[in-house]
PDB file of all heavy atoms in Angstrom:
ATOM      1  N   MET A  85      11.236   3.208  -4.102  1.00 82.00           N
ATOM      2  CA  MET A  85      10.472   4.342  -4.629  1.00 82.00           C
ATOM      3  C   MET A  85       9.797   5.190  -3.545  1.00 82.00           C
ATOM      4  O   MET A  85       8.955   6.009  -3.862  1.00 82.00           O
ATOM      5  CB  MET A  85       9.436   3.796  -5.638  1.00 82.00           C
ATOM      6  CG  MET A  85      10.080   3.067  -6.789  1.00 82.00           C
ATOM      7  SD  MET A  85       8.946   2.113  -7.800  1.00 82.00           S
ATOM      8  CE  MET A  85       7.979   3.437  -8.528  1.00 82.00           C
ATOM      9  N   THR A  86      10.199   5.033  -2.315  1.00 74.00           N
ATOM     10  CA  THR A  86       9.653   5.840  -1.229  1.00 74.00           C
ATOM     11  C   THR A  86      10.563   7.051  -1.039  1.00 74.00           C
ATOM     12  O   THR A  86      11.785   6.919  -1.043  1.00 74.00           O
ATOM     13  CB  THR A  86       9.587   5.010   0.100  1.00 74.00           C
ATOM     14  OG1 THR A  86       8.797   3.879  -0.128  1.00 74.00           O
ATOM     15  CG2 THR A  86       9.059   5.831   1.228  1.00 74.00           C
ATOM     16  N   ARG A  87       9.942   8.191  -0.950  1.00 68.00           N
ATOM     17  CA  ARG A  87      10.725   9.453  -0.751  1.00 68.00           C
ATOM     18  C   ARG A  87      11.533   9.339   0.531  1.00 68.00           C
ATOM     19  O   ARG A  87      10.991   8.942   1.570  1.00 68.00           O
ATOM     20  CB  ARG A  87       9.798  10.613  -0.777  1.00 68.00           C
ATOM     21  CG  ARG A  87       9.182  10.907  -2.138  1.00 68.00           C
ATOM     22  CD  ARG A  87       8.314  12.149  -2.104  1.00 68.00           C
ATOM     23  NE  ARG A  87       7.145  11.987  -1.285  1.00 68.00           N
ATOM     24  CZ  ARG A  87       5.891  11.743  -1.710  1.00 68.00           C
ATOM     25  NH1 ARG A  87       5.703  11.688  -3.002  1.00 68.00           N
ATOM     26  NH2 ARG A  87       4.913  11.628  -0.874  1.00 68.00           N
ATOM     27  N   PRO A  88      12.786   9.765   0.521  1.00 63.00           N
ATOM     28  CA  PRO A  88      13.666   9.581   1.689  1.00 63.00           C
ATOM     29  C   PRO A  88      13.073  10.184   2.993  1.00 63.00           C
ATOM     30  O   PRO A  88      13.254   9.637   4.038  1.00 63.00           O
ATOM     31  CB  PRO A  88      14.949  10.328   1.280  1.00 63.00           C
ATOM     32  CG  PRO A  88      14.960  10.306  -0.186  1.00 63.00           C
ATOM     33  CD  PRO A  88      13.489  10.360  -0.609  1.00 63.00           C
ATOM     34  N   GLY A  89      12.403  11.323   2.917  1.00 59.00           N
ATOM     35  CA  GLY A  89      11.866  11.927   4.101  1.00 59.00           C
ATOM     36  C   GLY A  89      10.709  11.147   4.715  1.00 59.00           C
ATOM     37  O   GLY A  89      10.423  11.293   5.890  1.00 59.00           O
ATOM     38  N   GLU A  90      10.098  10.258   3.959  1.00 58.00           N
ATOM     39  CA  GLU A  90       8.972   9.479   4.465  1.00 58.00           C
ATOM     40  C   GLU A  90       9.422   8.232   5.203  1.00 58.00           C
ATOM     41  O   GLU A  90       8.698   7.762   6.100  1.00 58.00           O
ATOM     42  CB  GLU A  90       8.058   9.086   3.311  1.00 58.00           C
ATOM     43  CG  GLU A  90       7.384  10.269   2.696  1.00 58.00           C
ATOM     44  CD  GLU A  90       6.498   9.855   1.482  1.00 58.00           C
ATOM     45  OE1 GLU A  90       6.806   8.789   0.883  1.00 58.00           O
ATOM     46  OE2 GLU A  90       5.620  10.598   1.164  1.00 58.00           O
ATOM     47  N   ALA A  91      10.470   7.627   4.732  1.00 59.00           N
ATOM     48  CA  ALA A  91      10.803   6.321   5.322  1.00 59.00           C
ATOM     49  C   ALA A  91      12.287   6.176   5.484  1.00 59.00           C
ATOM     50  O   ALA A  91      12.982   5.689   4.614  1.00 59.00           O
ATOM     51  CB  ALA A  91      10.239   5.211   4.434  1.00 59.00           C
ATOM     52  N   ALA A  92      12.756   6.576   6.626  1.00 63.00           N
ATOM     53  CA  ALA A  92      14.167   6.370   6.955  1.00 63.00           C
ATOM     54  C   ALA A  92      14.460   4.899   6.966  1.00 63.00           C
ATOM     55  O   ALA A  92      15.594   4.507   6.694  1.00 63.00           O
ATOM     56  CB  ALA A  92      14.489   7.009   8.303  1.00 63.00           C
ATOM     57  N   ALA A  93      13.455   4.069   7.196  1.00 60.00           N
ATOM     58  CA  ALA A  93      13.644   2.621   7.201  1.00 60.00           C
ATOM     59  C   ALA A  93      14.152   2.091   5.897  1.00 60.00           C
ATOM     60  O   ALA A  93      15.083   1.292   5.863  1.00 60.00           O
ATOM     61  CB  ALA A  93      12.315   1.930   7.544  1.00 60.00           C
ATOM     62  N   ALA A  94      13.592   2.591   4.792  1.00 63.00           N
ATOM     63  CA  ALA A  94      14.050   2.146   3.471  1.00 63.00           C
ATOM     64  C   ALA A  94      15.495   2.560   3.254  1.00 63.00           C
ATOM     65  O   ALA A  94      16.306   1.810   2.725  1.00 63.00           O
ATOM     66  CB  ALA A  94      13.151   2.724   2.396  1.00 63.00           C
ATOM     67  N   ARG A  95      15.828   3.771   3.717  1.00 65.00           N
ATOM     68  CA  ARG A  95      17.188   4.274   3.518  1.00 65.00           C
ATOM     69  C   ARG A  95      18.172   3.461   4.342  1.00 65.00           C
ATOM     70  O   ARG A  95      19.259   3.108   3.899  1.00 65.00           O
ATOM     71  CB  ARG A  95      17.275   5.764   3.901  1.00 65.00           C
ATOM     72  CG  ARG A  95      18.674   6.277   3.712  1.00 65.00           C
ATOM     73  CD  ARG A  95      18.763   7.732   3.994  1.00 65.00           C
ATOM     74  NE  ARG A  95      20.152   8.132   3.800  1.00 65.00           N
ATOM     75  CZ  ARG A  95      20.517   9.392   3.850  1.00 65.00           C
ATOM     76  NH1 ARG A  95      19.677  10.350   4.009  1.00 65.00           N
ATOM     77  NH2 ARG A  95      21.808   9.675   3.696  1.00 65.00           N
ATOM     78  N   ASN A  96      17.809   3.139   5.573  1.00 67.00           N
ATOM     79  CA  ASN A  96      18.669   2.359   6.441  1.00 67.00           C
ATOM     80  C   ASN A  96      18.995   0.982   5.827  1.00 67.00           C
ATOM     81  O   ASN A  96      20.113   0.518   5.801  1.00 67.00           O
ATOM     82  CB  ASN A  96      18.056   2.174   7.816  1.00 67.00           C
ATOM     83  CG  ASN A  96      18.024   3.473   8.609  1.00 67.00           C
ATOM     84  OD1 ASN A  96      18.743   4.421   8.324  1.00 67.00           O
ATOM     85  ND2 ASN A  96      17.168   3.480   9.641  1.00 67.00           N
TER      86      ASN A  96
END
Side-chain angles (χ1 to χ4, degrees):
M85 300 168 66
T86 301
R87 292 182 293 257
E90 293 176 337
R95 181 176 178 173
N96 291 341

